[in-house]
Amino acid sequence: MTSMVLQGGRVIDPGAGRDGLFDVLVTDGRIAAIGNDLGAAVPADAQRVDCRGKLVLPGLIDTHGHVYQGVTGRFGMNADLCGVRSGVTTLIDQGGPSCITLPGFRQYVAEPSHTRVLAFLSAYLVGGLEGHYYPELYRPECLDVDATVKSARQNRDLVRGLKAHAEIGGFARWGVQVMRIAARIGREAALPVYIHFGQLWPKPEAGGLPVNPDSIFNQVVEMLKPGDILAHPFSRHPGGFVEEDGKLHPLVPEAVARGLKIDVGHGSHFSYKTARIVLDAGIVPDTLGADMHGYNTAVPQPAGTPDSHPDEEDHLFKGKTRFGLVSAMTSMLALGLPLTHVVDMVTRNAARMAGLEGELGTLQVGGVADVSVLNDERGRWRMADNEGTQVIAERLLTPAFCLRAGRRFEADASILPVAQEA
């Protein structure tokens, strides 16, 4: 038997109703005990880890990753770089694999990764090839309801939902038809659909349909079922939660009341100004995904891949500001969300989104020892988005290390942001 005890950290576990200073004993990859004084329960040869002044949390779940490395071109990142080496124990890839490429995703990404990797299957046959670089591959004829539903049903251990896009470039090409098909796939597969809002593709140069960005949200919401997920509420791109006049779309509260969920899906399009509008209107997201990929994160460009994404020039899709899941947690704190809710976003709520509540996102005796340990500092740090807006964070969270099924991984990823003191 191998044992490790995490001593004296602040354990916050919304799923278990636990918040306080506790020791956590891990034995053979499972949580063996949690308590104030474990005493004789701790084996004499257990490794003792001082966690005083740190947060000890259920293993963080990133609800929005892009980790189909080698298949989605420059877009797909290494799962462990974004995962365990960034303090995150579970990643949900959003739309990288499709019904065609899911077997490869399982064999070459999910199975060999130290990070637990799940997927929201792409509604499109081509999945996330080159980060959706070629919009014409996402037209209605490039979706297959029966094949995608079959793939989702027969891979339930891996596939936890579907991914689709509701944005201006697509609506200008095909209207609402693609989203209708995607919503049908979600209903027939009995899985949540995760919808990207905010412009992704440029409008077609000729022959496009006229699109009012403010009309997209209400058209899409009418197609959805409770539990479906509206992504990117804080995006600076048009066609989302905030209308062109700078006000919250009037149907957002109704969508929430109908049981739709909201995921931050941070990304390079994250805007503190938009976030302020949405939060001040009383809309608080349920989950927090980082949305890192090879166009907005400093990783080497694979040989032969495009030098830039088609909408980088207009929308700064690439971005220059580094971020990750834990730094996104700091941004949520700087915006005024309470720590307990921020933890809930990346633990219990994220597990619920994946249909794994009670299994992931909580620390329970006998359960798998997925644990994230974060540094928790006080001071003044300057946080910036890609619009140039800055906010001051007086509390800074950074990953220290994590346990994935009891195995320790240091937070040494080269992509982690470095905080700037104010």
Side-chain angles (χ1 to χ4, degrees):
M1 294 176 62
T2 58
S3 295
M4 174 189 301
V5 60
L6 308 177
Q7 295 182 307
R10 180 182 174 186
V11 177
I12 305 176
D13 182 358
R18 183 179 288 115
D19 185 352
L21 301 180
F22 297 100
D23 294 345
V24 179
L25 176 63
V26 174
T27 300
D28 288 345
R30 296 278 171 179
I31 303 293
I34 303 172
N36 293 307
D37 182 10
L38 298 180
V42 180
D45 61 351
Q47 179 185 357
R48 297 174 182 269
V49 182
D50 186 358
C51 293
R52 288 175 298 178
K54 302 183 188 299
L55 302 181
V56 178
L57 311 177
L60 303 185
I61 302 170
D62 187 340
T63 55
H64 194 140
H66 295 288
V67 293
Y68 203 164
Q69 189 176 26
V71 172
T72 55
R74 188 176 171 187
F75 206 63
M77 299 183 67
N78 179 269
D80 288 339
L81 194 69
C82 302
V84 291
R85 293 179 58 198
S86 292
V88 175
T89 61
T90 298
L91 279 170
I92 301 176
D93 185 285
Q94 285 294 342
S98 70
C99 61
I100 295 174
T101 63
L102 183 64
F105 185 83
R106 179 186 291 277
Q107 182 174 351
Y108 298 112
V109 178
E111 291 181 350
S113 297
H114 296 297
T115 309
R116 179 189 287 101
V117 178
L118 305 171
F120 268 46
L121 192 67
S122 177
Y124 317 96
L125 293 174
V126 294
L129 296 184
E130 197 48 66
H132 312 98
Y133 188 91
Y134 303 100
E136 290 306 320
L137 295 178
Y138 299 87
R139 64 189 187 275
E141 294 79 11
C142 292
L143 286 77
D144 186 325
V145 174
D146 292 341
T148 304
V149 170
K150 179 181 179 181
S151 178
R153 287 176 174 169
Q154 294 187 5
N155 292 275
R156 285 293 204 204
D157 62 320
L158 184 59
V159 176
R160 312 308 301 181
L162 287 306
K163 172 69 181 295
H165 300 84
E167 57 81 55
I168 298 168
F171 273 52
R173 288 172 171 83
W174 318 297
V176 299
Q177 187 176 357
V178 170
M179 266 306 310
R180 289 195 186 282
I181 298 171
R184 179 185 164 193
I185 294 171
R187 289 192 299 272
E188 294 193 13
L191 287 171
V193 180
Y194 185 105
I195 302 101
H196 168 109
F197 283 100
Q199 188 162 4
L200 173 66
W201 292 301
K203 293 181 180 179
E205 294 182 1
L209 303 171
V211 178
N212 174 6
D214 294 342
S215 72
I216 291 176
F217 189 91
N218 51 290
Q219 291 182 73
V220 172
V221 165
E222 291 301 317
M223 308 175 193
L224 304 179
K225 63 185 184 301
D228 286 347
I229 301 128
L230 313 176
H232 311 309
F234 301 158
S235 174
R236 67 179 184 273
H237 295 183
F241 280 61
V242 174
E243 295 188 301
E244 291 189 298
D245 63 3
K247 297 179 180 179
L248 184 77
H249 194 291
L251 284 185
V252 173
E254 180 181 332
V256 173
R258 288 171 53 179
L260 297 175
K261 301 299 181 181
I262 301 174
D263 182 79
V264 170
H266 187 285
S268 54
H269 42 70
F270 172 84
S271 164
Y272 283 114
K273 291 180 180 177
T274 303
R276 189 75 276 149
I277 294 169
V278 174
L279 292 173
D280 286 351
I283 302 299
V284 179
D286 302 281
T287 53
L288 174 61
D291 190 13
M292 291 187 293
H293 51 72
Y295 281 103
N296 65 22
T297 308
V299 294
Q301 177 183 351
T305 60
D307 293 328
S308 63
H309 193 276
D311 66 357
E312 279 184 358
E313 182 177 348
D314 291 337
H315 301 291
L316 299 176
F317 189 80
K318 180 177 179 180
K320 297 179 180 179
T321 301
R322 281 194 181 191
F323 60 92
L325 184 62
V326 178
S327 70
M329 293 173 68
T330 295
S331 287
M332 297 302 103
L333 295 175
L335 285 164
L337 294 184
L339 176 63
T340 51
H341 181 74
V342 175
V343 172
D344 218 357
M345 294 169 81
V346 293
T347 58
R348 178 175 57 176
N349 287 359
R352 184 181 296 132
M353 170 181 151
L356 293 167
E357 186 176 10
E359 181 178 344
L360 300 182
T362 188
L363 302 175
Q364 56 181 339
V365 174
V368 64
D370 283 2
V371 186
S372 293
V373 179
L374 309 186
N375 302 310
D376 182 12
E377 302 177 69
R378 304 297 192 279
R380 288 177 62 82
W381 292 270
R382 184 177 295 108
M383 309 287 291
D385 61 22
N386 283 307
E387 289 181 309
T389 302
Q390 296 186 356
V391 300
I392 299 298
E394 297 183 345
R395 187 171 198 168
L396 177 70
L397 304 181
T398 56
F401 65 91
C402 71
L403 305 183
R404 168 70 183 98
R407 179 177 175 181
R408 179 169 174 164
F409 294 89
E410 302 301 322
D412 61 1
S414 59
I415 60 174
L416 289 171
V418 177
Q420 302 296 318
E421 292 188 5

mmCIF file of all heavy atoms in Angstrom, residues 295-320:
data_model
loop_
_atom_site.group_PDB
_atom_site.id
_atom_site.type_symbol
_atom_site.label_atom_id
_atom_site.label_comp_id
_atom_site.label_asym_id
_atom_site.label_seq_id
_atom_site.Cartn_x
_atom_site.Cartn_y
_atom_site.Cartn_z
ATOM 1 N N TYR A 295 -4.269 28.209 -31.336
ATOM 2 C CA TYR A 295 -4.299 29.548 -31.913
ATOM 3 C C TYR A 295 -4.265 30.642 -30.854
ATOM 4 O O TYR A 295 -4.029 31.804 -31.170
ATOM 5 C CB TYR A 295 -5.545 29.732 -32.783
ATOM 6 C CG TYR A 295 -5.431 29.117 -34.157
ATOM 7 C CD1 TYR A 295 -6.053 27.921 -34.456
ATOM 8 C CD2 TYR A 295 -4.675 29.734 -35.148
ATOM 9 C CE1 TYR A 295 -5.953 27.348 -35.711
ATOM 10 C CE2 TYR A 295 -4.563 29.178 -36.406
ATOM 11 C CZ TYR A 295 -5.195 27.981 -36.685
ATOM 12 O OH TYR A 295 -5.076 27.420 -37.927
ATOM 13 N N ASN A 296 -4.560 30.287 -29.604
ATOM 14 C CA ASN A 296 -4.557 31.334 -28.578
ATOM 15 C C ASN A 296 -3.584 31.038 -27.444
ATOM 16 O O ASN A 296 -3.579 31.724 -26.434
ATOM 17 C CB ASN A 296 -5.972 31.565 -28.019
ATOM 18 C CG ASN A 296 -6.539 30.368 -27.263
ATOM 19 O OD1 ASN A 296 -5.807 29.511 -26.785
ATOM 20 N ND2 ASN A 296 -7.853 30.325 -27.138
ATOM 21 N N THR A 297 -2.767 30.008 -27.612
ATOM 22 C CA THR A 297 -1.823 29.610 -26.581
ATOM 23 C C THR A 297 -0.459 29.415 -27.218
ATOM 24 O O THR A 297 -0.363 28.928 -28.344
ATOM 25 C CB THR A 297 -2.293 28.305 -25.904
ATOM 26 O OG1 THR A 297 -3.654 28.469 -25.482
ATOM 27 C CG2 THR A 297 -1.435 27.958 -24.715
ATOM 28 N N ALA A 298 0.582 29.786 -26.510
ATOM 29 C CA ALA A 298 1.939 29.766 -27.067
ATOM 30 C C ALA A 298 2.481 28.344 -27.116
ATOM 31 O O ALA A 298 3.136 27.872 -26.194
ATOM 32 C CB ALA A 298 2.860 30.659 -26.232
ATOM 33 N N VAL A 299 2.189 27.644 -28.208
ATOM 34 C CA VAL A 299 2.750 26.320 -28.446
ATOM 35 C C VAL A 299 3.336 26.311 -29.851
ATOM 36 O O VAL A 299 2.930 27.098 -30.710
ATOM 37 C CB VAL A 299 1.676 25.221 -28.318
ATOM 38 C CG1 VAL A 299 1.172 25.135 -26.888
ATOM 39 C CG2 VAL A 299 0.522 25.458 -29.277
ATOM 40 N N PRO A 300 4.314 25.438 -30.127
ATOM 41 C CA PRO A 300 4.928 25.392 -31.460
ATOM 42 C C PRO A 300 3.902 25.060 -32.535
ATOM 43 O O PRO A 300 2.994 24.249 -32.331
ATOM 44 C CB PRO A 300 5.970 24.281 -31.318
ATOM 45 C CG PRO A 300 6.265 24.192 -29.866
ATOM 46 C CD PRO A 300 4.974 24.519 -29.182
ATOM 47 N N GLN A 301 4.050 25.685 -33.691
ATOM 48 C CA GLN A 301 3.148 25.453 -34.810
ATOM 49 C C GLN A 301 3.582 24.208 -35.575
ATOM 50 O O GLN A 301 4.724 24.107 -36.010
ATOM 51 C CB GLN A 301 3.170 26.659 -35.749
ATOM 52 C CG GLN A 301 2.323 26.496 -37.002
ATOM 53 C CD GLN A 301 2.440 27.703 -37.926
ATOM 54 O OE1 GLN A 301 3.007 28.713 -37.551
ATOM 55 N NE2 GLN A 301 1.909 27.585 -39.130
ATOM 56 N N PRO A 302 2.688 23.201 -35.731
ATOM 57 C CA PRO A 302 3.057 22.020 -36.518
ATOM 58 C C PRO A 302 3.394 22.405 -37.950
ATOM 59 O O PRO A 302 2.760 23.292 -38.540
ATOM 60 C CB PRO A 302 1.794 21.149 -36.464
ATOM 61 C CG PRO A 302 1.056 21.621 -35.256
ATOM 62 C CD PRO A 302 1.337 23.089 -35.169
ATOM 63 N N ALA A 303 4.385 21.760 -38.518
ATOM 64 C CA ALA A 303 4.824 22.071 -39.880
ATOM 65 C C ALA A 303 3.681 21.893 -40.866
ATOM 66 O O ALA A 303 2.956 20.892 -40.829
ATOM 67 C CB ALA A 303 5.995 21.171 -40.268
ATOM 68 N N GLY A 304 3.491 22.886 -41.725
ATOM 69 C CA GLY A 304 2.502 22.790 -42.779
ATOM 70 C C GLY A 304 1.123 23.258 -42.420
ATOM 71 O O GLY A 304 0.234 23.264 -43.276
ATOM 72 N N THR A 305 0.888 23.649 -41.181
ATOM 73 C CA THR A 305 -0.436 24.127 -40.796
ATOM 74 C C THR A 305 -0.565 25.614 -41.112
ATOM 75 O O THR A 305 0.433 26.321 -41.244
ATOM 76 C CB THR A 305 -0.702 23.886 -39.302
ATOM 77 O OG1 THR A 305 0.282 24.573 -38.531
ATOM 78 C CG2 THR A 305 -0.651 22.403 -38.982
ATOM 79 N N PRO A 306 -1.797 26.130 -41.241
ATOM 80 C CA PRO A 306 -1.978 27.549 -41.572
ATOM 81 C C PRO A 306 -1.294 28.473 -40.566
ATOM 82 O O PRO A 306 -1.216 28.177 -39.372
ATOM 83 C CB PRO A 306 -3.504 27.733 -41.536
ATOM 84 C CG PRO A 306 -4.044 26.368 -41.823
ATOM 85 C CD PRO A 306 -3.089 25.412 -41.179
ATOM 86 N N ASP A 307 -0.798 29.593 -41.073
ATOM 87 C CA ASP A 307 -0.097 30.543 -40.206
ATOM 88 C C ASP A 307 -1.050 31.290 -39.289
ATOM 89 O O ASP A 307 -0.656 31.766 -38.222
ATOM 90 C CB ASP A 307 0.684 31.562 -41.049
ATOM 91 C CG ASP A 307 1.825 30.912 -41.802
ATOM 92 O OD1 ASP A 307 2.395 29.930 -41.278
ATOM 93 O OD2 ASP A 307 2.147 31.378 -42.907
ATOM 94 N N SER A 308 -2.292 31.427 -39.704
ATOM 95 C CA SER A 308 -3.245 32.175 -38.893
ATOM 96 C C SER A 308 -4.642 31.661 -39.165
ATOM 97 O O SER A 308 -4.922 31.047 -40.191
ATOM 98 C CB SER A 308 -3.178 33.677 -39.213
ATOM 99 O OG SER A 308 -3.541 33.916 -40.570
ATOM 100 N N HIS A 309 -5.529 31.925 -38.211
ATOM 101 C CA HIS A 309 -6.930 31.565 -38.365
ATOM 102 C C HIS A 309 -7.600 32.664 -39.192
ATOM 103 O O HIS A 309 -7.224 33.829 -39.108
ATOM 104 C CB HIS A 309 -7.587 31.445 -36.982
ATOM 105 C CG HIS A 309 -8.924 30.796 -37.007
ATOM 106 N ND1 HIS A 309 -10.059 31.490 -37.293
ATOM 107 C CD2 HIS A 309 -9.315 29.516 -36.788
ATOM 108 C CE1 HIS A 309 -11.101 30.669 -37.249
ATOM 109 N NE2 HIS A 309 -10.668 29.468 -36.933
ATOM 110 N N PRO A 310 -8.610 32.331 -40.020
ATOM 111 C CA PRO A 310 -9.176 33.333 -40.925
ATOM 112 C C PRO A 310 -9.766 34.565 -40.255
ATOM 113 O O PRO A 310 -9.858 35.609 -40.869
ATOM 114 C CB PRO A 310 -10.260 32.556 -41.694
ATOM 115 C CG PRO A 310 -10.530 31.333 -40.883
ATOM 116 C CD PRO A 310 -9.238 31.011 -40.222
ATOM 117 N N ASP A 311 -10.208 34.471 -39.010
ATOM 118 C CA ASP A 311 -10.814 35.655 -38.401
ATOM 119 C C ASP A 311 -9.898 36.296 -37.365
ATOM 120 O O ASP A 311 -10.338 37.098 -36.556
ATOM 121 C CB ASP A 311 -12.176 35.336 -37.789
ATOM 122 C CG ASP A 311 -12.112 34.376 -36.606
ATOM 123 O OD1 ASP A 311 -11.029 33.897 -36.279
ATOM 124 O OD2 ASP A 311 -13.176 34.124 -36.021
ATOM 125 N N GLU A 312 -8.605 35.956 -37.366
ATOM 126 C CA GLU A 312 -7.699 36.574 -36.410
ATOM 127 C C GLU A 312 -7.636 38.090 -36.575
ATOM 128 O O GLU A 312 -7.647 38.838 -35.614
ATOM 129 C CB GLU A 312 -6.289 36.000 -36.567
ATOM 130 C CG GLU A 312 -6.097 34.671 -35.887
ATOM 131 C CD GLU A 312 -4.659 34.196 -36.001
ATOM 132 O OE1 GLU A 312 -3.843 34.880 -36.627
ATOM 133 O OE2 GLU A 312 -4.369 33.135 -35.460
ATOM 134 N N GLU A 313 -7.568 38.526 -37.823
ATOM 135 C CA GLU A 313 -7.374 39.960 -38.067
ATOM 136 C C GLU A 313 -8.547 40.782 -37.541
ATOM 137 O O GLU A 313 -8.361 41.813 -36.909
ATOM 138 C CB GLU A 313 -7.192 40.214 -39.565
ATOM 139 C CG GLU A 313 -6.933 41.676 -39.895
ATOM 140 C CD GLU A 313 -6.696 41.889 -41.368
ATOM 141 O OE1 GLU A 313 -6.516 40.888 -42.098
ATOM 142 O OE2 GLU A 313 -6.691 43.056 -41.803
ATOM 143 N N ASP A 314 -9.761 40.281 -37.770
ATOM 144 C CA ASP A 314 -10.937 41.041 -37.361
ATOM 145 C C ASP A 314 -11.265 40.865 -35.883
ATOM 146 O O ASP A 314 -11.756 41.775 -35.243
ATOM 147 C CB ASP A 314 -12.158 40.611 -38.191
ATOM 148 C CG ASP A 314 -12.033 41.050 -39.640
ATOM 149 O OD1 ASP A 314 -11.283 42.000 -39.887
ATOM 150 O OD2 ASP A 314 -12.679 40.429 -40.499
ATOM 151 N N HIS A 315 -11.001 39.696 -35.349
ATOM 152 C CA HIS A 315 -11.500 39.395 -34.016
ATOM 153 C C HIS A 315 -10.424 38.993 -33.010
ATOM 154 O O HIS A 315 -10.735 38.560 -31.917
ATOM 155 C CB HIS A 315 -12.557 38.295 -34.104
ATOM 156 C CG HIS A 315 -13.713 38.666 -34.965
ATOM 157 N ND1 HIS A 315 -14.614 39.631 -34.605
ATOM 158 C CD2 HIS A 315 -14.102 38.230 -36.184
ATOM 159 C CE1 HIS A 315 -15.523 39.765 -35.563
ATOM 160 N NE2 HIS A 315 -15.231 38.926 -36.518
ATOM 161 N N LEU A 316 -9.170 39.094 -33.424
ATOM 162 C CA LEU A 316 -8.081 38.746 -32.519
ATOM 163 C C LEU A 316 -8.295 37.363 -31.913
ATOM 164 O O LEU A 316 -8.110 37.142 -30.721
ATOM 165 C CB LEU A 316 -7.938 39.799 -31.403
ATOM 166 C CG LEU A 316 -7.609 41.226 -31.862
ATOM 167 C CD1 LEU A 316 -7.598 42.169 -30.674
ATOM 168 C CD2 LEU A 316 -6.277 41.271 -32.589
ATOM 169 N N PHE A 317 -8.670 36.427 -32.779
ATOM 170 C CA PHE A 317 -8.949 35.072 -32.323
ATOM 171 C C PHE A 317 -7.751 34.469 -31.614
ATOM 172 O O PHE A 317 -7.873 33.718 -30.665
ATOM 173 C CB PHE A 317 -9.335 34.221 -33.537
ATOM 174 C CG PHE A 317 -9.858 32.856 -33.225
ATOM 175 C CD1 PHE A 317 -11.174 32.685 -32.838
ATOM 176 C CD2 PHE A 317 -9.044 31.744 -33.318
ATOM 177 C CE1 PHE A 317 -11.676 31.425 -32.555
ATOM 178 C CE2 PHE A 317 -9.537 30.481 -33.034
ATOM 179 C CZ PHE A 317 -10.859 30.319 -32.659
ATOM 180 N N LYS A 318 -6.579 34.821 -32.103
ATOM 181 C CA LYS A 318 -5.368 34.264 -31.514
ATOM 182 C C LYS A 318 -5.133 34.803 -30.119
ATOM 183 O O LYS A 318 -5.001 34.054 -29.164
ATOM 184 C CB LYS A 318 -4.166 34.567 -32.404
ATOM 185 C CG LYS A 318 -2.846 34.027 -31.865
ATOM 186 C CD LYS A 318 -1.716 34.311 -32.831
ATOM 187 C CE LYS A 318 -0.393 33.791 -32.296
ATOM 188 N NZ LYS A 318 0.712 34.064 -33.222
ATOM 189 N N GLY A 319 -5.074 36.114 -29.995
ATOM 190 C CA GLY A 319 -4.882 36.713 -28.674
ATOM 191 C C GLY A 319 -3.438 36.641 -28.198
ATOM 192 O O GLY A 319 -2.652 35.805 -28.622
ATOM 193 N N LYS A 320 -3.091 37.544 -27.288
ATOM 194 C CA LYS A 320 -1.740 37.613 -26.748
ATOM 195 C C LYS A 320 -1.701 37.378 -25.240
ATOM 196 O O LYS A 320 -0.628 37.235 -24.666
ATOM 197 C CB LYS A 320 -1.125 38.974 -27.079
ATOM 198 C CG LYS A 320 -0.964 39.246 -28.574
ATOM 199 C CD LYS A 320 -0.363 40.613 -28.839
ATOM 200 C CE LYS A 320 -0.204 40.867 -30.326
ATOM 201 N NZ LYS A 320 0.361 42.226 -30.602
#
